[in-house]
Amino acid sequence: VVGGEEALPTQIQWQVAVVEDGQIHCGGAYLGGCWVLTAAHCVRPKPKAFQIKFSIWKKLSLLNTTDIVPVKNIIIHQDYNPSTYQNDIALVQLKELNLMPGCLKPNPAVRAVCVPWSTLQFQPGSTCSISGWGRNKVGDTANILKWANVTLIEDCGKYYSDRFYEGMECAGDLEGKVDSCQGDSGGPLVCTDASGMSYVWGIVSWGEKCGEVGFPGVYTKVAHYFEWIRFHMGWQAVTKF
Ligand code: 4AZ
């Protein structure tokens, strides 16, 4: 994250780390139950190569192996296009261990974030927040989870013309000082409504540069994928019986 500030230890309760071969590779958002949402470009269809780490605040706590959950299945959007970043969305299904029904032990530091339904709207200009361990302005990654406020931006085609597709959302900062960056990918852009409900409005996906005027961050627009998410989460639930 460029700009913003360090999070408090249990501030961003839905933030997870996607761990690949023992390293934090990306962020993700906990949807509850056995489900994590991340970017398609963060994963491969190889569940054994990945783990999900919960309630991580300092990266060094990776060495402490509690709250690391194995992965059962990785569902990458069927129309994900790695060269255009279209449909950059994936669901990670956690492995339900015998001793851990529901995949996760009860943990007051972990909370699910809501999936926005298709017709939910947050207006351009809304303030939402991003979080991650990715690069800062100098290019260093963070040891302590960072977060920042960004503004939803209308009509991103004017910044990225034909590279901006339906199913993408833009957010940033008018002064270009705040942005997601490399390493934040897969992490959530969260918007909170007037009643205090928080929704994973976006998934950190791509952008030209980080934190520069005229180059907002591009996010997968989660509401656009509501039916896809429901289909895959619902299907898995149904096949258990
Ligand atoms: C990246 O390389 C990346 N400024 C992620 C987000 C942004 C740029 C690059 C948005 O993963």
Side-chain angles (χ1 to χ4, degrees), residues 81-193:
N81 184 335
S83 47
T84 60
Y85 288 97
Q86 283 172 284
N87 310 303
D88 191 10
I89 187 169
L91 279 165
V92 176
Q93 186 180 24
L94 305 171
K95 194 178 270 181
E96 190 160 15
L97 303 175
N98 285 336
L99 291 170
M100 206 84 74
C103 289
L104 202 60
K105 33 175 193 261
N107 183 340
V110 175
R111 190 156 66 113
V113 66
C114 300
V115 175
W117 57 89
S118 310
T119 56
L120 184 66
Q121 291 190 28
F122 282 91
Q123 297 307 322
S126 300
T127 298
C128 302
S129 62
I130 53 172
S131 44
W133 293 273
R135 287 172 171 239
N136 61 21
K137 192 75 224 174
V138 188
D140 298 325
T141 59
N143 181 38
I144 290 180
L145 180 65
K146 283 184 71 188
W147 76 280
N149 280 329
V150 288
T151 303
L152 300 186
I153 293 172
E154 190 165 29
D155 192 13
C156 213
K158 72 179 172 224
Y159 301 106
Y160 289 117
S161 62
D162 58 352
R163 289 197 289 163
F164 187 75
Y165 291 92
E166 197 187 349
M168 295 179 180
E169 173 77 295
C170 265
D173 155 63
L174 282 178
E175 293 175 36
K177 292 192 173 136
V178 184
D179 199 2
S180 50
C181 197
Q182 198 184 344
D184 294 320
S185 282
L189 165 72
V190 171
C191 304
T192 301
D193 71 13

Side-chain angles (χ1 to χ4, degrees), residues 41 179-183 185 204-211 215-218:
H41 84 262
D179 199 2
S180 50
C181 197
Q182 198 184 344
S185 282
V204 178
S205 180
W206 65 278
E208 197 71 43
K209 313 175 194 282
C210 299
F215 297 98
V218 187

